[in-house]
Amino acid sequence: MRQRIVAGNWKMNKTLNEAVDVAVGLTQFQDEFPTNVKVIIAPPSLYLANLEMMETLNCSLASQNCSHHDYGAFTGEISAAMLHAMSIEYCIVGHSERRQYFGETDHMLQMKVDACLRNKVNPIFCIGEQLAERQAGKHFEVVANQLKNGIFHLPQDLFAHVIVAYEPVWAIGTGVTATNAQAEEMHAFIRQTISSAYNKDIADGISILYGGSVSAINSAELFACPNVDGGLVGGASLKAKDFAHIIISAA
Ligand code: PEP
């Protein structure tokens, strides 16, 4: 059965002390965290080692990115092999900011997904359309292509380790959230597309997270949609109280 998941993407925010403050702040709500919700935090990679304390909260850690290479002369990069050696279980791959600002192509993302899986790191694979693509009625086509080009090359056993995050680009960091109906419609489409590429069992077992201005106010309704299995949360994951509320609302 698929898992309920709430993942926090801290992006390039917080000094180490501030990051630890958020983590400590979350501990105050620890007793209220639902046992059926997996919590994942993706801090700046520099802090991954410092935030091992999160494991006492039953939180897993994720990197926000990785190289498609395992080792070598690639200045500034970190690899999935290194993440695995540090027991980091997850890595966000293909966040729209990586696609947009760092020119990450579908082909590159496919190689990053492969790098994660060969190193036993579970990719949180992000997809989502731009505003103009939705306005032109191309959002389903865009998302289907991102799935096909990024992860549909995987054999079934590896595909089962992928978490999909649908993040409409127009909703990320804008305060504009997809309506519950828009989120559910796209998540159902994603699940159907996976079912066609693989089979119904695989599609039913994959967690599909919604991302894009999720807040303590809108999370419960979004997460109640039948095909929404939780969220990938940016801004609101930087505030312990809000993030804890979002986690609790995913039960
Ligand atoms: C994100 O960066 O993945 C995200 C969804 O950001 P926000 O929640 O701030 O829109």
Side-chain angles (χ1 to χ4, degrees):
M1 239 352 245
R2 61 196 196 236
Q3 191 161 27
R4 309 281 292 167
I5 298 171
V6 174
N9 174 14
W10 289 358
K11 311 194 188 192
M12 197 175 73
N13 290 301
K14 304 285 183 195
T15 62
L16 175 59
N17 285 346
E18 289 166 348
V20 170
D21 280 351
V22 178
V24 170
L26 278 174
T27 60
Q28 291 170 21
F29 302 90
Q30 182 175 11
D31 294 343
E32 294 170 64
F33 287 178
T35 50
N36 67 331
V37 178
K38 170 152 240 14
V39 180
I40 303 173
I41 307 273
S45 298
L46 190 60
Y47 309 153
L48 282 167
N50 303 81
L51 292 176
E52 268 173 17
M53 60 183 282
M54 299 304 288
E55 279 157 20
T56 60
L57 269 183
N58 256 343
C59 292
S60 298
L61 292 172
S63 174
Q64 297 174 14
N65 180 36
C66 70
S67 168
H68 58 275
H69 299 284
D70 287 348
Y71 298 101
F74 302 102
T75 302
E77 292 285 83
I78 57 165
S79 73
M82 294 169 182
L83 296 174
H84 176 63
M86 284 180 62
S87 306
I88 306 299
E89 291 174 77
Y90 298 91
C91 180
I92 299 173
V93 177
H95 190 282
S96 63
E97 288 152 16
R98 300 293 317 171
R99 293 177 190 258
Q100 194 173 341
Y101 306 136
F102 299 92
E104 295 194 354
T105 61
D106 282 349
H107 179 60
M108 212 181 274
L109 298 176
Q110 186 186 111
M111 291 194 290
K112 289 187 182 213
V113 166
D114 289 344
C116 285
L117 291 168
R118 80 172 163 264
N119 288 292
K120 300 189 168 42
V121 174
N122 304 300
I124 302 172
F125 185 68
C126 301
I127 53 177
E129 80 284 356
Q130 308 269 349
L131 182 59
E133 292 166 335
R134 179 165 278 264
Q135 286 169 337
K138 292 192 172 155
H139 42 302
F140 294 117
E141 182 188 328
V142 168
V143 163
N145 280 332
Q146 290 171 335
L147 286 168
K148 180 167 150 260
N149 297 332
I151 51 177
F152 281 178
H153 64 290
L154 295 169
Q156 266 189 37
D157 59 326
L158 290 180
F159 188 83
H161 291 275
V162 176
I163 297 164
V164 173
Y166 168 60
E167 300 204 304
V169 180
W170 46 271
I172 296 181
T174 59
V176 179
T177 317
T179 63
N180 301 336
Q182 285 171 324
E184 173 56 21
E185 182 185 41
M186 184 57 90
H187 281 232
F189 171 78
I190 292 167
R191 206 175 299 285
Q192 182 51 52
T193 306
I194 294 171
S195 182
S196 303
Y198 291 87
N199 58 55
K200 187 168 181 316
D201 281 353
I202 290 281
D204 284 344
I206 289 283
S207 296
I208 307 175
L209 313 184
Y210 169 79
S213 297
V214 172
S215 71
I217 293 166
N218 61 28
S219 60
E221 282 195 2
L222 280 163
F223 298 166
C225 297
N227 281 291
V228 177
D229 303 311
L232 178 54
V233 185
S237 70
L238 294 166
K239 297 175 206 135
K241 191 172 172 201
D242 285 12
F243 193 49
H245 187 99
I246 292 168
I247 293 165
I248 292 162
S249 75

